[in-house]
Amino acid sequence: MQCLAVFALIMPGLIAAAEPPPKIPLRDFFKNPLSSSYLLSPDGNTLSYLAPWETRMNIFIRPTAGGEAKRITSDKERDIRDYFWKGNQFVVYAQDNKGDENFHLFRIDLKTGEVKDLTPFPKVRAELVDDLEDISEHEIVMMMNKRNAEAFDAYRLNVATGEMKMTAKNPGRVDHWVTDHKGRILAATESDGVNATLLTRPDEKAPFKKVLSTNFRERVTPEFYTFDNKEIYATSNIGRDKVA
């Protein structure tokens, strides 16, 4: 009982003497990280990453063998969020103009330092479909709404020369393009806002044909082709309560 009494007398003093935990400034929850999004060049000789410069996230590179880092972009208006290597000479990233959400694809030539807008069209949004990492040294597949503001066509784009060629014309409601392991656009999904349809074709010269349609309660999302390019892996919630 004496021990309990002493403990009861000591505890209030300890509680009163305890300091409250330090407050975390609100800005700390939203500030940029010191570095992020690390990638290796295809030959493994160069490491790239995002880091703040002038309060905005920009792309830096440095040799994997050691040495000083070098900033290769100088964006002061908006953070760069997504980028990828295209061969060992080029880095490609997406950026819009002061928050207008019309993202363009930009290419950095690491030999010359040149930054080039690969989709320099006003009021046009471009998005990557496939970087063709194991297929082409310089080409990628992207989509943009240059022809029709409400429809995204698919293009094959050479990041070295800037040359592009339409490989799939959007009939009006396609919202997702799928490439096979040769980089060909052979599948797509279209939606009217309620129902969705999966489309496929045997080659890029053939028209798309409807494979199946789903309502707003169901979902079938094509993910990628099998390695023989004959079938498609897809996720779906048909017949179950979760997508798998």
Side-chain angles (χ1 to χ4, degrees):
M1 292 297 294
Q2 291 180 346
C3 291
L4 290 176
V6 172
F7 183 78
L9 291 172
I10 293 175
M11 281 302 296
L14 291 175
I15 294 173
E19 295 183 0
K23 293 183 178 180
I24 301 175
L26 183 62
R27 64 178 179 272
D28 287 358
F29 290 94
F30 299 97
K31 69 179 182 180
N32 285 322
L34 295 178
S35 61
S36 66
S37 305
Y38 285 83
L39 294 176
L40 275 175
S41 60
D43 61 10
N45 292 329
T46 307
L47 179 70
S48 61
Y49 59 94
L50 296 176
W53 176 76
E54 296 289 337
T55 73
R56 295 300 182 185
M57 297 297 280
N58 278 270
I59 305 174
F60 290 73
I61 60 172
R62 68 173 178 82
T64 54
E68 294 186 2
K70 176 183 178 182
R71 176 175 47 81
I72 59 174
T73 59
S74 303
D75 203 311
K76 297 181 180 180
E77 296 288 342
R78 298 272 284 174
D79 293 322
I80 295 174
R81 294 298 183 188
D82 300 305
Y83 77 98
F84 60 93
W85 285 85
K86 193 56 191 170
N88 296 305
Q89 183 178 348
F90 302 112
V91 173
V92 180
Y93 68 95
Q95 185 62 288
D96 67 352
N97 182 25
K98 298 181 180 180
D100 65 359
E101 299 297 322
N102 287 322
F103 286 89
H104 288 200
L105 295 179
F106 292 84
R107 179 216 70 194
I108 309 162
D109 188 332
L110 298 183
K111 289 185 177 180
T112 65
E114 177 195 29
V115 178
K116 180 178 181 179
D117 186 350
L118 296 172
T119 54
F121 312 110
K123 298 181 180 180
V124 167
R125 179 185 177 108
E127 298 180 13
L128 179 69
V129 174
D130 191 337
D131 63 6
L132 304 181
E133 179 180 2
D134 300 318
I135 299 173
S136 173
E137 182 179 1
H138 292 147
E139 290 185 324
I140 63 173
V141 176
M142 46 80 71
M143 64 180 184
M144 64 178 173
N145 57 346
K146 178 176 179 289
R147 179 185 59 85
N148 181 341
E150 298 180 355
F152 285 78
D153 303 313
Y155 296 81
R156 204 171 180 104
L157 170 64
N158 187 309
V159 303
T161 65
E163 180 182 358
M164 67 176 67
K165 178 183 179 181
M166 185 187 296
T167 56
K169 184 177 180 180
N170 195 325
R173 299 187 301 189
V174 169
D175 55 10
H176 181 56
W177 299 105
V178 183
T179 56
D180 70 354
H181 292 283
K182 294 182 179 180
R184 301 174 299 175
I185 296 283
L186 298 187
T189 57
E190 64 176 11
S191 173
D192 60 6
V194 178
N195 302 308
T197 302
L198 174 63
L199 310 171
T200 64
R201 61 182 179 178
D203 57 67
E204 289 190 319
K205 294 182 179 180
F208 282 100
K209 293 184 178 181
K210 295 182 179 181
V211 176
L212 62 86
S213 295
T214 57
N215 58 40
F216 68 94
R217 295 186 181 90
E218 301 172 331
R219 181 186 302 176
V220 175
T221 304
E223 300 295 343
F224 54 90
Y225 272 83
T226 55
F227 288 105
D228 59 7
N229 292 324
K230 293 181 179 180
E231 297 179 304
I232 298 175
Y233 287 105
T235 54
S236 175
N237 66 342
I238 295 178
R240 53 186 296 136
D241 62 350
K242 294 180 177 62
V243 175

